Amino acid sequence: QITLKESGPTLVKPTQTLTLTCTFSGFSLTTNAGGVGWIRQPPGKALEWLALMYWNDDKRYRPSLKNRLTLNKATSENQVVLTMTNMDPVDTATYYCAHLSPLHHVDFWGQGTLVTVSS
Amino acid sequence: EIVLTQAPGTLSLSPGERATLSCRASQTVSNNYLAWYQQKPGQAPRLLIYGASSRALGIPDRFSGSGSGTDFTLTISRLEPEDFALYYCHQYGSSPRTFGQGTKVEIK
């Protein structure tokens, strides 16, 4: 059974760096079994794809945010860390991590974590 | 970037009726890598359909997906009370991946 859970601060100040951790179980990023993606959803708005990391460490970022986003595996093999620099109030959103199936689609989602950017 | 346009924005129907949701892509979706998700308030999205027409595990057969290229459709054959929700299409055939703006299916 695949599960994912996001963790990190609920409130960050403008210009600060956001660090979110996705802790997962039921799959491994060290074998050919898909990957992990990050998606966000501002309050009352649509979903927005941010970044993904495949099992082979191939990483893709949303072009408009590429300079602000970094994805890395944590020291623990079942964690992925998303870093987003220079946070702005428009970045206020629920941030989801998700499992990418070997067929490339997102099949499982974390519960999401609401991050508010405010001074 | 592929832009996905969903129509209509809101669909007002009664339980038992048929729902037809459209998703049109600005460019051909590679390999028909098009998925549909259902989202209820305060919840994460749930996968319904992938590969344009393959139903995800545990999804009732009243949900079906069709289409190819740039035009895709999600059909709910007979609406159940729990089907009233927000629906998103998502293309994962090209980078960056993109989502549509959503269709809300509401009770008439």
Side-chain angles (χ1 to χ4, degrees):
Chain A
Q1 181 189 2
I2 291 175
T3 64
L4 308 100
K5 188 172 184 179
E6 308 83 357
S7 59
T10 57
L11 179 66
V12 297
K13 291 180 170 29
T15 75
Q16 286 187 334
T17 295
L18 172 68
T19 300
L20 293 174
T21 301
C22 176
T23 303
F24 56 84
S25 63
F27 68 97
S28 172
L29 268 182
T30 60
T31 59
N32 186 1
V36 171
W38 285 90
I39 301 107
R40 71 179 179 180
Q41 185 172 37
K45 296 188 177 180
L47 300 161
E48 181 179 59
W49 188 272
L50 296 178
L52 63 83
M53 171 189 290
Y54 290 107
W55 66 278
N56 60 359
D57 213 37
D58 181 16
K59 302 172 189 176
R60 308 288 173 89
Y61 299 101
R62 184 180 186 84
S64 60
L65 296 173
K66 187 175 182 179
N67 292 336
R68 299 174 55 203
L69 293 172
T70 305
L71 264 180
N72 282 302
K73 294 178 187 176
T75 51
S76 167
E77 284 194 353
N78 68 335
Q79 290 185 325
V80 169
V81 178
L82 177 74
T83 302
M84 190 169 185
T85 61
N86 195 25
M87 293 292 285
D88 183 271
V90 299
D91 297 314
T92 293
T94 295
Y95 287 75
Y96 296 99
C97 68
H99 174 252
L100 305 182
S101 81
L103 298 180
H104 308 295
H105 61 275
V106 169
D107 53 0
F108 294 96
W109 297 67
Q111 64 188 29
T113 184
L114 175 61
V115 178
T116 301
V117 184
S118 174
S119 54
Chain B
E1 173 174 321
I2 294 179
V3 176
L4 298 178
T5 302
Q6 291 188 240
T10 301
L11 202 48
S12 298
L13 295 167
S14 301
E17 288 194 296
R18 181 185 189 90
T20 303
L21 286 67
S22 170
C23 177
R24 179 162 291 177
S26 60
Q27 305 168 44
T28 297
V29 175
S30 180
N31 298 311
N32 290 327
Y33 279 176
L34 192 287
W36 290 92
Y37 297 90
Q38 178 193 68
Q39 187 178 35
K40 296 181 179 179
Q43 296 184 15
R46 176 175 74 143
L47 174 68
L48 301 174
I49 302 289
Y50 64 94
S53 60
S54 296
R55 202 177 299 115
L57 282 174
I59 300 303
D61 60 8
R62 64 180 181 272
F63 291 92
S64 63
S66 62
S68 64
T70 60
D71 289 299
F72 300 89
T73 301
L74 174 70
T75 301
I76 311 171
S77 59
R78 285 200 321 273
L79 283 164
E80 297 288 340
E82 62 268 28
D83 299 337
F84 291 92
L86 199 50
Y87 292 83
Y88 291 98
C89 61
H90 166 56
Q91 71 80 22
Y92 53 100
S94 301
S95 188
R97 299 181 176 212
T98 51
F99 291 91
Q101 82 279 18
T103 289
K104 181 180 181 181
V105 179
E106 64 175 23
I107 300 177
K108 188 174 181 180

